[in-house]
Amino acid sequence: MVKPIKLANKNGRVAVVDGLRTPFARIATHYRDLNAIDLGSMVVSELLARNSLKPSDVDQLVFGMTVMIPEAPFIAREVALACGMEDVDAYSITRACATSFQTVASATESILAGTAGIVIAGGTDSTTSARLPMSTKFSAVMRDINFAKTTAERLKLLARLKPKDILPLAPSITEYSVGETMGESCEKMVKKWSVSRSEQDDLAHASHSNAAAAWRNGYMDKQVMTAFLDAGSTPLKEDNLIRMNSERPGYDRLKPCYDRTTGTVTAGNASPLTDGAGALLLMSEKQAETLGLEPLGFIRSYAFAAKTPKDDLLMGPVAATPVAMDRAGVALSDLITIDMHEAFAGQVACNIRGLESNDYAQNVLGRKQSLGEINRDILNVNGGSIAFGHPFGATGARVISQALHELKRRGGGLGLTTACAAGGIGAAMVLESE
């Protein structure tokens, strides 16, 4: 068991003063003409305005993305420049679906070290603007043509290509090391952990129902900005992926996506490809008091973990969560809310089984016992990624912000947030609010 760690210095704890995101939009819909820089700068500019801060007030911007922009891979600096932060330090991070968990953790460390006072952390992604991959043969021929010295050499190279070679490849989220998509890995996991199609669809229905209720109840109003685009276009206020009137029988009619014969993972119980951005404003407790800003809450602890992607790819949170809980010095019974990123409903179900399993704790994690039973009544109470969508670099910012807003709304307490990520990575963060 890891000893508790107090994330504080002479200036107090690390405060999250505000958390904000754009509405999330299904791929190739509302943000079809924007890229990740546009979305990131949109939310950072609004975050500054809402907290009456000038760009020069910020000491550091830590931002990330997963779907890289080839001509502008330094996303943090590009967002900083787009927001008028010419003299603000910025650096980029990518940790797949846990990217903005890491940007927040890194911002926390800068504040605790005293190297930065006010930091904005977050992430952004546009799956819409992802470049279509070409075949290896086509790419190689184009490369060689670039270096050919004569027209005859170029024509000879072109003659090597067949029609199939020039067709773009279908984009897929595939694990390079194992050659499987996340959906295929999830199919293996749900079979191993005996997660039924019905359980997955129940979780998906709950995600959409809770998200719809959160919007109807006004819980999302403060944490989601209105996205104004070009003159004449319709502003987007709410996420456009949520089934506002989700009906459970509708999920039963969907066909499996990855294993079409015995599979149970469908488009309905998986997170969709999404565009969006999110950001959080962090500073020391003392700095927040000086500026007269009331924190949403504080970073109590965090942990990252890794496991082989060859087996149980999406079980990383099961390894990270006990460490984060130990560092926070809290138990599951102390929590008011649990917000788990939903890459797939099956992944959430498997993560819960893993966290509750003494066998997994002892034989895989090397712990004496499991954390205990997960209270389903406090799990993703305002919806999760299946409903809101999953812009890879921004999801952590959404999860953390959403959890803190909910804790604040409930009058304070402790919350757990988690995320699985590519490569067998897991993230967990314990938050507190007063």
Side-chain angles (χ1 to χ4, degrees):
M1 183 174 178
V2 179
K3 292 183 179 180
I5 299 173
K6 189 170 181 62
L7 292 182
N9 61 15
K10 63 180 182 180
N11 295 316
R13 297 167 291 178
V14 176
V16 180
V17 170
D18 200 1
L20 185 67
R21 66 176 175 87
T22 67
F24 287 176
R26 189 179 297 276
I27 182 174
T29 58
H30 196 76
Y31 302 136
R32 64 182 303 116
D33 297 321
L34 302 182
N35 63 25
I37 299 168
D38 299 324
L39 294 169
S41 59
M42 181 190 302
V43 74
V44 170
S45 293
E46 180 67 16
L47 185 67
L48 289 171
R50 290 192 179 196
N51 290 278
S52 301
L53 293 174
K54 302 186 297 295
S56 58
D57 292 329
V58 179
D59 297 306
Q60 192 173 73
L61 177 76
V62 191
F63 233 69
M65 66 178 173
T66 298
V67 183
M68 290 293 174
I69 302 174
E71 64 273 23
F74 192 176
I75 185 66
R77 185 56 176 159
E78 297 298 340
V79 168
L81 292 172
C83 295
M85 298 180 179
E86 287 85 357
D87 300 324
V88 174
D89 176 35
Y91 66 94
S92 303
I93 289 176
T94 180
R95 201 191 258 271
C97 305
T99 289
S100 45
F101 270 89
Q102 182 62 66
T103 60
V104 171
S106 297
T108 296
E109 291 166 1
S110 291
I111 293 168
L112 290 174
T115 58
I118 299 176
V119 184
I120 291 178
T124 177
D125 257 311
S126 169
T127 50
T128 295
S129 58
R131 308 296 169 81
L132 287 176
M134 304 303 293
S135 71
T136 302
K137 186 175 181 180
F138 180 83
S139 298
V141 169
M142 290 299 103
R143 176 201 62 210
D144 292 344
I145 285 175
N146 187 56
F147 293 102
K149 296 181 179 179
T150 67
T151 300
E153 289 178 351
R154 296 186 185 97
L155 291 174
K156 187 177 180 179
L157 287 165
L158 284 172
R160 296 180 185 176
L161 295 174
K162 297 178 180 180
K164 66 177 183 179
D165 296 328
I166 63 175
L167 293 175
L169 303 176
S172 65
I173 305 169
T174 303
E175 290 290 311
Y176 181 83
S177 61
V178 296
E180 287 182 342
T181 64
M182 282 193 175
E184 290 168 338
S185 296
C186 189
E187 283 285 12
K188 292 168 62 176
M189 285 172 54
V190 296
K191 290 179 175 67
K192 175 181 177 178
W193 290 88
S194 300
V195 178
S196 68
R197 164 73 182 268
S198 178
E199 182 178 353
Q200 294 174 65
D201 288 345
D202 285 345
L203 284 166
H205 173 54
S207 183
H208 281 280
S209 298
N210 290 344
W215 271 110
R216 282 194 292 266
N217 293 333
Y219 298 165
M220 310 305 293
D221 292 345
K222 289 184 178 180
Q223 54 189 296
V224 183
M225 63 179 286
T226 299
F228 293 95
L229 305 182
D230 297 332
S233 62
T234 303
L236 183 65
K237 170 55 183 171
E238 298 183 0
D239 312 291
N240 71 8
L241 307 102
I242 301 169
R243 298 181 181 185
M244 297 303 290
N245 297 293
S246 179
E247 296 181 352
R248 177 60 180 82
Y251 296 84
D252 295 329
R253 295 190 287 270
L254 299 175
K255 295 180 179 180
C257 295
Y258 302 98
D259 178 349
R260 298 186 184 278
T261 54
T262 62
T264 55
V265 178
T266 72
N269 58 41
S271 59
L273 292 174
T274 314
D275 302 336
L280 299 106
L281 176 63
L282 294 95
M283 61 188 71
S284 70
E285 195 170 4
K286 183 178 181 180
Q287 179 78 71
E289 291 174 1
T290 299
L291 296 176
L293 297 171
E294 180 182 356
L296 279 176
F298 304 89
I299 308 297
R300 180 71 172 257
S301 73
Y302 51 85
F304 297 91
K307 64 174 305 302
T308 174
K310 296 178 181 178
D311 180 51
D312 282 352
L313 168 70
L314 304 174
M315 293 292 278
V318 183
T321 297
V323 178
M325 296 289 282
D326 287 349
R327 288 174 177 171
V330 301
L332 287 177
S333 57
D334 298 317
L335 302 175
I336 302 297
T337 62
I338 300 174
D339 278 74
M340 299 179 74
H341 160 51
E342 303 165 342
F344 303 90
Q347 158 257 317
V348 173
C350 291
N351 285 180
I352 291 173
R353 281 166 167 71
L355 288 168
E356 294 178 342
S357 169
N358 280 324
D359 180 70
Y360 195 86
Q362 293 164 4
N363 296 319
V364 178
L365 303 181
R367 299 177 64 86
K368 292 182 179 180
Q369 61 185 34
S370 70
L371 283 179
E373 185 176 356
I374 301 295
N375 182 353
R376 301 293 187 101
D377 292 336
I378 64 172
L379 175 66
N380 292 352
V381 294
N382 291 320
S385 298
I386 289 174
F388 293 113
H390 176 31
F392 311 119
T395 287
R398 177 196 66 77
V399 171
I400 295 167
S401 175
Q402 191 167 306
L404 284 169
H405 275 92
E406 180 62 16
L407 288 172
K408 194 73 170 178
R409 189 185 71 81
R410 294 186 177 206
L414 293 166
L416 168 68
T417 59
T418 72
C420 60
I425 295 295
M429 186 172 286
V430 178
L431 308 167
E432 59 184 330
S433 183
E434 298 172 347

